[in-house]
Amino acid sequence: MQRIYFLLIPIFICFFCACGNKSSNTPANLQQVLIIGKWNLQKQSEEVLIDGTLKTDTTMLASNKTLSFAQFDADGKFSSISFYNSGGIGSTSLGNVIAADSLSGTYSFAGLAFKLSSAGLGGFGVGTVNFSTGPVPVIHLVSQSAQIVQLTASLLTLHMEYTTTQTLNTDVKNYKYVLDYYYTK
């Protein structure tokens, strides 16, 4: 009977080791797997503060005139494409105002921290045009951050902030942009 016990102990140890932690087959950060794919922008919120004062607070929704998506690839690269058509997406009428914008870069994870090589992603503001005359300000990026607020197999919410200084002659203004992107897959 003692021989059976001596044989059972190694068998149980091997069994528990084999059934234990299987993390070597899964990534350390599930977000790295979930983010891969094409994400369709449904809603975009944007706040712009100039020298600490809120100047713009806008929320834009997907419509038949706007289309935007972000593609995250497994190799750490992303692209973001936005379209605007005043006649509706797919309309080929000659009187339409049509605009497109694209952005590409890299993304990475350091543990759960998410990093993007760009300060923002493409969005619904692609059809907006501002005209001015005179000198153009010199713009310097001061800081940028990106944070995943929610990520599931079908939902992605990104919060991004970036700060710039804009210098025109001797006048320096501090701009802060706060962006929230709501995507579905």
Side-chain angles (χ1 to χ4, degrees), residues 20 30 101 103 156:
L30 183 58
D101 189 17
L103 174 71
L156 170 61

Side-chain angles (χ1 to χ4, degrees), residues 10 43 55 59 75 97 114 116 120 122 126 166:
K43 178 180 169 183
K55 294 294 182 180
T59 298
D75 63 358
V97 174
F114 180 64
L116 279 174
V126 71
Q166 297 188 19

Side-chain angles (χ1 to χ4, degrees), residues 31-42 69-72 151-156 182-185:
Q31 291 181 329
Q32 293 174 345
V33 172
L34 288 174
I35 201 166
I36 296 170
K38 180 180 175 183
W39 294 90
N40 299 302
L41 187 60
Q42 301 300 314
F69 65 87
Q71 172 75 38
F72 292 92
L151 179 57
T152 67
S154 60
L155 296 173
L156 170 61
Y182 301 87
Y183 293 95
T184 59
K185 211 177 223 185

